[in-house]
Amino acid sequence: MKWRGVYTLFYKEVLRFIKVLTQTLAAPIVTALLYLMVFGQAMSGRFDVFPGITYTAFLVPGLVMMSTIQNAFANSSSSLIQSKVTGNIVFMLLAPLSHVEFFTAFVAAAVVRGLMVGLGVWLVALLFVPVSVSHPLIVLAFAVLGAAVSGTLGMIAGIWAIKFDQLAGFQNFIILPLSFLSGVFYSIHGLPEFWRVLSHLNPFFYMIDGFRYGFFGVHDVNPALSLAVVGGFLAALSGISLLMLKTGYRLRD
């Protein structure tokens, strides 16, 4: 592994979103805060999802994780599609980096952006809702794994898409539905049987539920199962992404 080359590409990807902080960090934090204010105010006092946990507090971990997922995906996917459309992808492909090193740098940068946005959402939410952490290591593990999964999905989407509207379709018809139907705003125990079963097929649900367990110590499914599902999903996506990079699929045409 040529770590200097990996770090250089990683640093370039981090600088890319740092240069536009208003768009890449401030905007998603404000969006999550609006969700918290609107849904929190509308549903506050009507019911508690788990005993002793207000609905507004219940929302916070879900919104933090959803913001982390969506922004990690946006980082790697937007970088790749922009490089392909403008033609400067050739400069990265000519660099003496293997497909594993290329993958490592891109996913690491996506994880950094996802974690920065998630941390920002949590810190701002603390101004309105006090939410303590019961299991910090579990919170960190699910945050990193969730960001890595989304960063890898972003790589697959960025490599597959050849136009911006194809990437937008991937985001609007896959990432957004999986995010919104993952239990960010509700517990699946309140769903009808059909939707409850369907939720168990959504890998994003395990990210949200495991992450929320780290805050409150309550869960819909066993956290060990959530960790295994998310880890397995990441391994499968990494294999697909590495194969696409190794063969140069839609990169070397």
Side-chain angles (χ1 to χ4, degrees):
M1 183 79 80
K2 295 183 283 292
W3 288 110
R4 188 178 182 85
V6 173
Y7 174 75
T8 302
L9 184 55
F10 163 79
Y11 186 59
K12 172 255 181 192
E13 286 300 304
V14 171
L15 275 183
R16 196 184 66 85
F17 75 79
I18 290 291
K19 290 284 185 182
V20 285
L21 279 178
T22 303
Q23 175 189 347
T24 56
L25 293 181
I29 290 173
V30 170
T31 300
L33 184 60
L34 289 173
Y35 278 125
L36 182 66
M37 294 175 65
V38 171
F39 282 92
Q41 288 299 318
M43 305 300 292
S44 180
R46 294 176 181 267
F47 67 94
D48 293 338
V49 182
F50 292 113
I53 302 172
T54 66
Y55 181 74
T56 310
F58 172 85
L59 272 180
V60 172
L63 290 174
V64 170
M65 194 58 172
M66 186 177 74
S67 303
T68 301
I69 290 170
Q70 291 181 346
N71 284 277
F73 174 86
N75 200 70
S76 51
S77 61
S78 63
S79 178
L80 279 168
I81 192 68
Q82 285 171 7
S83 297
K84 288 170 68 176
V85 170
T86 59
N88 63 37
I89 188 75
V90 66
F91 298 113
M92 285 189 278
L93 296 176
L94 287 175
L97 294 174
S98 69
H99 61 289
V100 176
E101 292 159 347
F102 192 94
F103 170 83
T104 303
F106 261 76
V107 173
V111 169
V112 169
R113 176 173 164 184
L115 294 182
M116 287 178 68
V117 173
L119 180 62
V121 171
W122 182 35
L123 292 177
V124 173
L126 283 177
L127 299 176
F128 304 92
V129 191
V131 179
S132 59
V133 178
S134 298
H135 307 288
L137 291 180
I138 291 180
V139 167
L140 182 62
F142 275 98
V144 172
L145 281 174
V149 165
S150 294
T152 307
L153 265 175
M155 285 206 72
I156 293 172
I159 294 171
W160 166 78
I162 54 177
K163 296 186 292 186
F164 283 105
D165 62 333
Q166 290 178 328
L167 182 61
F170 195 102
Q171 185 161 14
N172 292 328
F173 297 114
I174 297 178
I175 300 300
L176 279 179
L178 289 178
S179 300
F180 276 84
L181 299 176
S182 61
V184 172
F185 302 100
Y186 54 82
S187 166
I188 65 166
H189 284 312
L191 295 177
E193 181 68 18
F194 172 79
W195 291 105
R196 194 185 312 157
V197 171
L198 201 62
S199 294
H200 283 90
L201 302 178
N202 180 0
F204 284 22
F205 157 70
Y206 297 92
M207 298 181 203
I208 300 289
D209 193 60
F211 188 69
R212 185 174 281 132
Y213 170 77
F215 279 84
F216 303 125
V218 294
H219 52 79
D220 286 328
V221 298
N222 190 313
L225 173 63
S226 296
L227 200 61
V229 171
V230 176
F233 192 49
L234 175 60
L237 291 175
S238 298
I240 295 171
S241 180
L242 286 168
L243 182 62
M244 295 172 85
L245 287 170
K246 186 176 182 179
T247 58
Y249 177 75
R250 290 192 171 179
L251 290 175
R252 300 182 187 278
D253 296 340

